[in-house]
Amino acid sequence: MNNDKRPMINNALRVLRLYLGLSQKQIADELDLSQSMISEIENGSKSVSMDVLEKYSLNFNIRMSQLIFFAEELEGEPIKMRGKLIIANRVLQILETLSPREIADAS
């Protein structure tokens, strides 16, 4: 899915994971979700449920309203700010390359 089409809440959760320095597997373990679920959320192919938001909130001590507000701020940027969004997208790509590599379970 094109990153421009990904819902902003999905992007916000991806940014949070990268900020925390966690791999998808590590955050999945923290949240008691599957790594594939985290991947689907982050690439926008799965919607974020209130239950998932609550897990992020409780595990990382962030109010659900803060997560939603952050996502709305990402989405609500005016046209003149799109340059910043392009730069932010590039930063996300750099962070993604620096994040711990995902290791498939051999089991």
Side-chain angles (χ1 to χ4, degrees):
M1 173 176 270
N2 183 335
N3 285 347
D4 295 337
K5 301 294 185 192
R6 182 183 354 207
M8 287 297 128
I9 189 65
N10 298 60
N11 270 335
L13 296 179
R14 179 173 167 240
V15 169
L16 175 62
R17 176 181 64 81
L18 293 172
Y19 174 78
L20 295 171
L22 299 173
S23 69
Q24 288 182 348
K25 174 76 171 113
Q26 289 169 318
I27 205 162
D29 290 345
E30 287 281 331
L31 301 176
D32 196 28
L33 298 170
S34 69
Q35 186 272 324
S36 63
M37 172 84 150
I38 298 296
S39 177
E40 290 172 348
I41 287 171
E42 289 187 5
N43 71 28
S45 63
K46 184 169 286 288
S47 297
V48 178
S49 70
M50 292 303 283
D51 289 338
V52 168
L53 278 181
E54 185 175 30
K55 286 179 183 251
Y56 276 87
S57 175
L58 294 173
N59 280 280
F60 300 111
N61 197 27
I62 301 169
R63 291 190 314 260
M64 289 173 58
S65 60
Q66 289 174 306
L67 290 170
I68 293 168
F69 179 75
F70 177 57
E72 287 176 346
E73 286 298 307
L74 288 175
E75 189 171 31
E77 289 294 322
I79 293 172
K80 67 181 182 179
M81 301 299 282
R82 288 200 180 153
K84 287 184 180 181
L85 291 177
I86 291 168
I87 292 169
N89 189 42
R90 296 287 183 240
V91 170
L92 284 175
Q93 290 171 354
I94 291 168
L95 287 173
E96 189 67 47
T97 62
L98 297 175
S99 70
R101 298 286 179 230
E102 304 302 328
I103 301 172
D105 288 346
S107 39

